[in-house]
């Protein structure tokens, strides 16, 4: 949005939503929680399944191009993956661990995925 304007930003968000839609299963949940932040809830997913889903979305989105008045725009995504565990008191705990992993991914150079620790 800052570099290319809101119209292009909206196109990029739609492209990301397409990558998500192509890579989640029926019954999984995808929600936009903020400007550029999304949460995916994958029912009954193992850590390998959740990680591979996040990786497929990351790779597909990184390969995507958005044509705009300013030319071709590319973007990348970072993700934090967390599984619900016995120590979690609720969804907020899982979300906080995923968020911490997301910021590790961003600090590691972006366009990557980090797995949360319990």
């Amino acid at each position: 949005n800052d570099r290319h304007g809101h119209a292009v930003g909206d196109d990029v968000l739609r492209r990301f939503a397409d990558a998500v839609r192509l890579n989640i299963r029926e019954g999984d949940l995808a929600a936009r929680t903020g400007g550029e932040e999304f949460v995916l809830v994958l029912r009954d997913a193992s850590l390998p399944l959740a990680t591979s889903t996040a990786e497929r979305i990351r790779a597909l989105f990184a390969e995507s191009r958005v044509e705009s008045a300013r030319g071709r725009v590319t973007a990348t995504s970072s993700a934090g993956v967390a599984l619900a565990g016995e120590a979690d008191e609720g969804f907020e705990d899982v979300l906080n661990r995923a968020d911490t992993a997301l910021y590790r991914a961003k600090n590691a150079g972006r366009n990557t995925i980090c797995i949360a620790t319990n």
Side-chain angles (χ1 to χ4, degrees):
N1 287 341
D2 293 341
R3 186 179 305 160
H4 300 289
H6 291 283
V8 174
D10 289 346
D11 289 339
V12 170
L13 288 172
R14 278 191 283 279
R15 188 70 59 157
F16 182 77
D18 290 343
V20 169
R21 194 175 301 110
L22 290 170
N23 284 286
I24 61 173
R25 306 163 298 172
E26 187 174 324
D28 291 339
L29 173 70
R32 183 176 173 195
T33 59
E36 300 173 344
E37 293 194 1
F38 293 79
V39 170
L40 303 180
V41 178
L42 308 178
R43 288 181 330 132
D44 302 319
S46 63
L47 185 58
L49 176 62
T51 304
S52 67
T53 300
E55 176 57 28
R56 283 193 315 273
I57 291 167
R58 186 211 58 76
L60 182 60
F61 184 61
E63 294 169 3
S64 297
R65 306 292 182 260
V66 174
E67 295 298 333
S68 74
R70 295 183 160 201
R72 190 174 273 183
V73 176
T74 61
T76 61
S77 62
S78 299
V81 176
L83 289 183
E86 291 180 17
D88 294 317
E89 292 185 19
F91 182 70
E92 192 73 24
D93 289 347
V94 180
L95 192 58
N96 286 337
R97 288 189 296 103
D99 198 47
T100 298
L102 167 63
Y103 281 94
R104 279 199 342 263
K106 288 181 176 182
N107 290 331
R110 300 181 180 262
N111 196 30
T112 191
I113 296 164
C114 284
I115 298 169
T117 57
N118 289 335

